[in-house]
Amino acid sequence: MKPFIFFIGAFALLATAPAHAQTLVDPNKVAPEYREAAEKRRAEQLRQRECALKADLEKILPRDRTAFLNHCLETMAAKQ
């Protein structure tokens, strides 16, 4: 019975698809009427990635990461 359970568990792990991070929006690949919104979304994604990189470099703990990211994004918005 144990080998059967092991086989089922191994199969379940191998059958799952790997999760990928959200890709950046490409404003050139959307319809012209949605291009402005896509450009804004891409800018927001780049700001979020920059703040996430800062959090990684400063080795922010997971429990403090959300507060750090929110503060970082607010600071970046205030600069603009």
Side-chain angles (χ1 to χ4, degrees), residues 17-79:
H20 297 288
Q22 183 179 7
T23 59
L24 287 175
V25 173
D26 186 3
N28 297 323
K29 291 186 178 181
V30 298
E33 59 267 18
Y34 301 115
R35 189 157 292 148
E36 184 179 347
E39 289 170 354
K40 288 180 182 178
R41 177 64 184 143
R42 182 180 177 90
E44 179 65 23
Q45 286 176 325
L46 290 173
R47 284 192 294 275
Q48 289 174 355
R49 283 190 178 191
E50 186 177 338
C51 287
L53 180 62
K54 285 181 186 178
D56 290 340
L57 292 175
E58 294 184 25
K59 298 181 181 176
I60 303 297
L61 295 174
R63 68 173 185 223
D64 301 327
R65 189 174 177 94
T66 303
F68 178 86
L69 293 175
N70 286 335
H71 181 266
C72 178
L73 290 170
E74 289 171 1
T75 304
M76 290 179 83
K79 288 181 182 177

Side-chain angles (χ1 to χ4, degrees), residues 1-8:
M1 186 68 171
K2 285 184 181 180
F4 179 71
I5 294 174
F6 177 76
F7 174 76
I8 296 296

